[in-house]
Amino acid sequence: MKKMLALVLAVMMILAAIPAMADETVFKMGFDAEYPPYTYMGDDGEYTGFDIEMCQGVCDILGWKVEFVPVNWDTKLISLDAGEVDCIWSGLTIDVIDSEAYTLSMAYSNNSQMILTKKSNNINTLADLAGKIVGVQLGTSADILLQNDQAELAATFGDLQRFENYNTCFTELMAGSIDAIAIDVGVAAAKIAEYGDEYMMLDESIASEEYGICFRKADAEMCKQVEEAYMKLVEDGTYLSLAEKYGLDTNALCLLSK
């Protein structure tokens, strides 16, 4: 009888847990897997970075289970539209996203598009890029700028080469196959910190923009929930401490004054 009672209680506990499991929200974060210091794979084989940890913190507050989903950055919005992910959150420049077609979060960081090069290449101004080979990651803000608002600058280059990710760009720069990279300031700073003062950024920027999170147009309520949880991480100091942990320019943290 005791065994039967124990079995009945066990079954009841399992049945009671099923609704809770069914109601659990799984939040799929779409991100660039090779975009340090925001989103990348650490030495332990786990995804890490400023945006990864902020997303985890947001989901912890909301009681959501997070699933990290790497996407091809050049086709990121296709993945979002197809429902493969719930958002694109990976140092995303929201200035270039159509706000009529998507729901965009508040900006959480200011961002500049810079030129990264080797000091030995003797490139000190944007004018010095004339005739040079410049690399850029496909689908990034810098890539879009050089095709549109900064097309005149790009026309002075000897060649503009587009790569799958910035790690490949940097490998080509190290090898001397390209002369410079058009890149986000945070990523450029991380590369300089990692590889030393052989590399430099130009003082001139290509453009200044803002980072945020992109959701499908119909997911405005989800965006609101994420923003509210994000602000809790700003208020408790997590936002600043993670920025310092990953070597971000804390002057660019536009939510600190809000």
Side-chain angles (χ1 to χ4, degrees), residues 31-33 39-42 44-49 52-53 68-70:
F31 70 99
D32 183 342
T39 50
Y40 62 101
M41 184 174 285
D44 60 358
E46 298 293 328
Y47 292 120
T48 189
I52 292 285
E53 289 210 45
F68 299 116
V69 184

Side-chain angles (χ1 to χ4, degrees), residues 11 20 37 40 66 72 108 110 225:
V11 171
Y40 62 101
V66 63
N72 182 312
Y108 62 80
N110 295 319
Q225 289 178 279

Side-chain angles (χ1 to χ4, degrees), residues 25-37:
T25 297
V26 177
F27 183 72
K28 296 182 179 180
M29 175 193 181
F31 70 99
D32 183 342
E34 298 186 73
Y35 200 65

Side-chain angles (χ1 to χ4, degrees), residues 144-202:
I144 295 168
L145 278 166
L146 291 172
Q147 294 179 70
N148 296 283
D149 293 352
Q150 293 292 340
E152 189 173 332
L153 173 64
T156 68
F157 301 164
D159 190 24
L160 176 63
Q161 296 187 8
R162 304 165 78 208
F163 298 95
E164 189 69 25
N165 57 67
Y166 274 131
N167 285 339
T168 303
C169 286
F170 196 75
T171 298
E172 295 295 321
L173 178 63
M174 292 175 70
S177 302
I178 61 175
D179 301 301
I181 305 171
I183 188 170
D184 291 352
V185 62
V187 183
K191 290 298 185 186
I192 292 172
E194 183 177 359
Y195 290 95
D197 60 6
E198 179 184 351
Y199 299 90
M200 59 172 276
M201 278 186 280
L202 303 193

